[in-house]
Amino acid sequence: MVKICGIGAGYVGGPTMAVIALKCPSIEVAVVDISDSRISAWNSNKLPIYEPGLEEVVNQCRGKNLFFSTDVEKHVHEADIVFVSVNTPTKIRGLGAGKATDLTYWESAARIISDVSNSNKIIVEKSTVPVRTAEAVEKILTHNSKGIIKFQILSNPEFLSEGTAIQDLLNPDRVLIGGNQDREGLEAIQKLKAIYVHWVPQDRIITTNLWSAELSKLADNAFLAQRISSINAMSALCEATGAEVSQVSHALSKNTKLGPKFLNASVGFGGSCFQKDILNLVYICESNGLTEVANYWKQVITVNDYQKGRFVKRVVTSMFNTVTGKKIAILGFAFKKDTGDTRKTPAIDVCRGLLGDDACLSIYDPQVTKEQIHKDLSVSSNVVKQVSVVGDAYEATKEAHGICILTEWDEFKSIDYQRVYENMRKPAFVFDGRNILNVDKLREIGFILYSIGRPLE
């Protein structure tokens, strides 16, 4: 039996290993992490992350050929293939601070692999890493093993979207595997490919050299983020000219050279990947003397920050240039629907901007806990009275002066807005940061409504 060990039980490692176990019942898959609480959650009835379909996959495989453990060394020692899905945050100090990727966790994983291995292994980069990371990892592994044990390093980046991760894994548009182009490297590529062909058509499995695979992940996220910033930049122009961004987006989507995806204007992109990966790309460009290229990609983040700031300004100016002491209902805090992930969510910046103007926030999100929201907003004793986290949308909006929709949860489309309106202060404002509401219907009820990229009344 082939044994796989996945280091890192987070948003990438847990779902990826679970689907491999589901589709390859003859392979034993162990997911390891140093966090006792995280592993305990994976072994419980309440998983540590919310992802549609994940619970069913885990329940089907756990205890059979899928195991979650804190015994990192044991499972790495026994594995033939080790997937590394550890956190790769942006450095906060030292060379490249604010842009470069912090590879501390990756280096630690590489050293553990080196220390406990007594047989040849394939090491798979699953985390998003800077191009040529494999070169550094190989040095750690080979120098510590003194060449006795052979390691082959492959880049197999994930292309998952939170909220649809299980479907993305079960039916991927492509699987990318990069490795050395010598005989041993090509053999390793084929071994990993043999796992994926259990359920992925061969024509969707792309093989490249190591550096192309590593860079492709950064390029993928950068292009998607660029697309979002592009339509958000257009949304500002739409508001200034009387055009409707939804109509502009629809026209663009019918261009077969562009397609319809990532053309919805919003309050801005979030999540753990886009900003981090663009900053890393900027740092790599700067390190290679490509100043103009670096500046180009910086602008994608600049526009995203501008969009969030523009939204806050719209809220304040619309409500008679002050929100001091006013109750603002925040509907949605996760960075997108169908996930509880709040990393880099636009809601953080919007809420902080409103708190900076002394608003009182009543926040509701169906998947984000009170503790997480307080942590993200760095709620201290002096502002705790300004932030309340409640259990449903009606409680959040009761006696509110305004509503900000910051996550596109489906339930926010079907709220009884007549009931909401009757229980709000008047005039009642709605600021739709996701363009999910029926503008005409809400205005007919009596709301003063602002929707990104659409003309004001």
Side-chain angles (χ1 to χ4, degrees), residues 369-409:
T369 65
K370 175 181 178 179
E371 292 73 22
Q372 186 62 51
I373 290 172
H374 279 188
K375 179 181 177 182
D376 287 334
L377 294 180
S378 302
V379 173
S380 55
S381 57
N382 63 318
V383 297
V384 69
K385 292 181 180 179
Q386 289 179 247
V387 178
S388 62
V389 180
V390 299
D392 65 56
Y394 296 108
E395 185 179 358
T397 56
K398 187 176 182 180
E399 295 295 317
H401 294 78
I403 302 170
C404 294
I405 295 181
L406 301 183
T407 310
E408 70 279 22
W409 288 101

Side-chain angles (χ1 to χ4, degrees), residues 58-126:
V58 170
N59 288 340
Q60 193 169 335
C61 302
R62 189 172 56 195
K64 298 174 183 176
N65 69 323
L66 176 64
F67 306 92
F68 298 92
S69 173
T70 56
D71 195 342
V72 179
E73 294 186 357
K74 173 182 180 294
H75 290 287
V76 171
H77 170 77
E78 294 177 353
D80 303 293
I81 303 175
V82 180
F83 286 76
V84 183
S85 305
V86 296
N87 192 20
T88 53
T90 302
K91 290 181 72 173
I92 59 175
R93 61 176 63 88
L95 183 65
K99 296 175 186 173
T101 299
D102 185 347
L103 293 174
T104 301
Y105 299 114
W106 233 112
E107 182 175 341
S108 177
R111 292 188 184 280
I112 291 172
I113 294 168
S114 176
D115 289 344
V116 304
S117 296
N118 62 3
S119 60
N120 298 343
K121 298 187 189 303
I122 295 173
I123 313 302
V124 182
E125 294 177 342
K126 206 67 187 170

Side-chain angles (χ1 to χ4, degrees), residues 11 49-52 162-163 266-272 308 330-351 362-370 372-374 376-377 389-390 404-412 433-434 436:
Y11 281 90
I49 62 175
Y50 173 74
E51 191 67 43
E162 289 185 41
S266 72
V267 68
F269 61 73
S272 64
K308 291 179 285 187
I330 304 295
L331 299 188
F333 198 83
F335 85 93
K336 63 184 294 190
K337 73 174 185 177
D338 292 332
T339 180
D341 195 354
T342 63
R343 289 175 292 179
K344 296 296 180 184
T345 175
I348 294 175
D349 291 321
V350 171
C351 288
S362 183
I363 304 173
Y364 166 64
D365 187 288
Q367 287 297 328
V368 184
T369 65
K370 175 181 178 179
Q372 186 62 51
I373 290 172
H374 279 188
D376 287 334
L377 294 180
V389 180
V390 299
C404 294
I405 295 181
L406 301 183
T407 310
E408 70 279 22
W409 288 101
D410 290 339
E411 69 175 85
F412 298 155
R434 294 289 177 173
I436 61 172

Side-chain angles (χ1 to χ4, degrees), residues 245-278:
V245 74
S246 60
Q247 295 176 357
V248 174
S249 294
H250 181 68
L252 291 172
S253 72
K254 296 304 180 181
N255 183 336
T256 56
K257 295 186 286 293
L258 293 174
K261 294 184 178 180
F262 286 82
L263 281 176
N264 294 321
S266 72
V267 68
F269 61 73
S272 64
C273 294
F274 281 178
Q275 179 163 316
K276 174 176 71 73
D277 290 351
I278 293 173

Side-chain angles (χ1 to χ4, degrees), residues 285-310:
C285 291
E286 290 176 342
S287 299
N288 284 279
L290 304 174
T291 304
E292 291 78 9
V293 179
N295 290 339
Y296 175 82
W297 289 112
K298 278 182 190 176
Q299 196 62 28
V300 173
I301 295 175
T302 299
V303 170
N304 196 53
D305 291 338
Y306 163 75
Q307 188 77 345
K308 291 179 285 187
R310 197 169 72 84

Side-chain angles (χ1 to χ4, degrees), residues 15 18 20 33 50 82 87 106 114 144 147 154 192 219 235 282 318 339:
I20 289 176
D33 200 290
Y50 173 74
V82 180
N87 192 20
W106 233 112
S114 176
N144 282 280
L154 302 179
L192 183 55
S235 75
V282 168
S318 297
T339 180

